[in-house]
Amino acid sequence: MRRSGTRGDQMGNARRQRSLAVFPGSFDPITNGHLDIVDRGLRVFDRLRLAILVNPDKKPLFSIEERVSLIRSAYKGNRRVEVDTFSGLLVDYAERVGATVIIRGIRAISDFEYEFQMALMNRRLNPSIETVFMMPAESYSYVSSRLVKEVFQLGGRITDLVPPVVERRLREVYGTPIKTPPAQGRRRTR
Ligand code: PNS
């Protein structure tokens, strides 16, 4: 018979606690790169909560309410995905909601230094919360919310980079984007 408090039990408890992971970010707006990380996170954790930082110092394109609503629309019907907002320290928020894991996506080595610093600071602030890095599919390695907004505003195609609901909303905010002129070299003379 197994005694309580053995290493196996402790691992079991830890596994149960790990089943809620927090995926924090600005999500201004959510992209398909974020969705890819959520899908990967759901393979490992039972529930995943996207937590949008309320940051009064930033001037986002979409309000907090709009960002929540865009994420909810993208995940309509999926009960394993939750959306919330938070302010203050991320580790305090994670502890408050009973998550012991923070998920962050790493697209390229350039992301790593900042993410590594944050993960270590978060560990110092609360050693019981673990950061897990996940890599999105290579096809999203160059996708960011900032570039998506810039490309759309300048008339570039963002289909396949964001959920359809986000593209629709961007169109409402910016109007129909300017059409990209054909490349010089490919222009027909007649
Ligand atoms: O999508 P982003 O903007 O890269 O997300 C950054 C975020 C929200 C994860 C980070 O700014 C954060 O966790 N802020 C909360 C404040 C906090 O806990 N700061 C200490 C982090 S070491």
Side-chain angles (χ1 to χ4, degrees), residues 24-27 53 58 86 88-91 104 114 118 121-122:
S26 305
F27 304 109
L53 174 68
K58 270 196 181 176
F86 78 103
L89 284 177
L90 172 60
V91 286
R104 289 288 288 173
Y114 169 63
M118 266 207 311
M121 181 60 84
N122 281 332

Side-chain angles (χ1 to χ4, degrees), residues 111-136:
D111 283 339
F112 187 73
E113 202 172 313
Y114 169 63
E115 295 296 338
F116 188 60
Q117 227 181 349
M118 266 207 311
L120 292 183
M121 181 60 84
N122 281 332
R123 180 188 284 168
R124 183 195 154 94
L125 292 168
N126 188 335
S128 66
I129 298 191
E130 207 58 61
T131 298
V132 170
F133 293 136
M134 293 193 150
M135 292 162 291

Side-chain angles (χ1 to χ4, degrees), residues 66-101:
E66 277 182 302
R67 281 177 275 164
V68 168
S69 150
L70 288 172
I71 297 174
R72 287 226 169 98
S73 306
Y75 283 102
K76 207 157 52 195
N78 190 334
R79 295 175 61 191
R80 293 174 64 202
V81 179
E82 302 159 15
V83 191
D84 198 5
T85 63
F86 78 103
S87 52
L89 284 177
L90 172 60
V91 286
D92 291 347
Y93 170 78
E95 186 164 55
R96 205 164 55 241
V97 299
T100 52
V101 169

Side-chain angles (χ1 to χ4, degrees), residues 134-146:
M134 293 193 150
M135 292 162 291
E138 300 89 278
S139 48
Y140 299 125
S141 59
Y142 55 88
V143 178
S144 70
S145 301
R146 186 181 62 81

